[in-house]
Amino acid sequence: MIGGITFLLFLAISSAPKVFFTIPYGLASALAIFLSGLFNFSAQYIFTFRSERPLKATAFRYLLLVGFNSICAGFLADYLIHTQGWGSVMANVLCAFTITIFSYPVMRIFVM
């Protein structure tokens, strides 16, 4: 449930360049990862993992993960859209999928 809502939030934000033409695709993807990541952290911390670590330590580690993911997703989306000719939705779906596969074990072991 949390993952689905996070993904919908991500797709909505990453599609901003279709409405606001001055926003670059890479920036929209990076912002989508960051903002949906903040939602995801809150929900995962409270409901899924029920973390035993202090919120301050967990939040800092999660911000590092989200920052890394945001930068990687921004570059990957920009590359796929401008170099490979992918549509923005497909490029962002691939970014979200890749980040999900990478982030879950990192979150489970390192963050929470």
Side-chain angles (χ1 to χ4, degrees):
M1 180 83 162
I2 294 169
I5 294 169
T6 301
F7 182 68
L8 291 175
L9 182 62
F10 169 80
L11 279 181
I13 297 168
S14 65
S15 297
K18 292 183 181 261
V19 178
F20 305 103
F21 302 110
T22 58
I23 299 174
Y25 283 103
L27 177 61
S29 295
L31 284 173
I33 291 291
F34 184 75
L35 295 174
S36 63
L38 291 178
F39 165 77
N40 189 321
F41 170 75
S42 302
Q44 299 285 11
Y45 185 84
I46 295 168
F47 300 111
T48 304
F49 294 109
R50 293 185 178 100
S51 182
E52 298 295 324
R53 291 184 180 160
L55 177 61
K56 192 174 184 179
T58 304
F60 177 72
R61 290 176 179 185
Y62 190 77
L63 283 175
L64 289 175
L65 175 63
V66 169
F68 176 79
N69 288 347
S70 298
I71 292 168
C72 290
F75 282 114
L76 179 60
D78 191 62
Y79 170 77
L80 292 172
I81 292 166
H82 292 105
T83 307
Q84 300 300 313
W86 286 38
S88 64
V89 172
M90 286 305 298
N92 283 308
V93 166
L94 178 69
C95 288
F97 180 75
T98 304
I99 285 169
T100 300
I101 299 294
F102 170 75
S103 293
Y104 187 83
V106 172
M107 224 160 64
R108 184 110 178 125
I109 296 166
F110 179 68
V111 176
M112 299 290 178

